[in-house]
Amino acid sequence: MSKERARRRAEREAERARAIRANEERQARAVRRRALLTRLTPRPMARPVRFYRQGGLLARRHRAQNAVVALGFLLVQAIAWLVWGSFPISFAVLVLSVLFVPVVVTLAFDRRT
């Protein structure tokens, strides 16, 4: 009877050792996976990125030119609406203005010269 108890105790200890070894392998795999994920995921930035407008001479000139073009476009629309007042004519002026704005910009603000 004591031989049978010793054999069962040895089997229980062997099973416990296998379970402990399997648990340690799972934990080691989890540690390796966490380390890999921390290497692959981007780190948060130390401070937020702010987008500023460019402040150079060319950028200021370009913004001023765009403002002049937009103001001229709106002025033409307002004058057409005040002078003629009819919807079809105002719509025709709008379509023609949209078509002619690139031409006027190219002729007035040509940067190659």
Side-chain angles (χ1 to χ4, degrees), residues 31-110:
V31 167
R32 286 193 307 269
R33 187 179 318 119
R34 258 185 260 119
L36 177 66
L37 286 176
T38 56
R39 274 186 285 153
L40 293 179
T41 54
R43 292 190 178 122
M45 299 187 73
R47 59 186 175 87
V49 176
R50 295 194 177 125
F51 296 98
Y52 294 104
R53 290 193 318 193
Q54 291 185 354
L57 177 66
L58 292 177
R60 283 194 305 255
R61 185 185 315 166
H62 193 75
R63 282 193 298 274
Q65 289 173 355
N66 286 342
V68 167
V69 168
L71 185 66
F73 180 82
L74 292 175
L75 189 64
V76 166
Q77 298 306 310
I79 289 173
W81 182 68
L82 288 173
V83 170
W84 288 291
S86 92
F87 180 73
I89 294 177
S90 295
F91 184 72
V93 169
L94 174 71
V95 170
L96 289 174
S97 297
V98 167
L99 291 175
F100 281 120
V101 163
V103 175
V104 171
V105 168
T106 303
L107 293 176
F109 305 121
D110 190 13

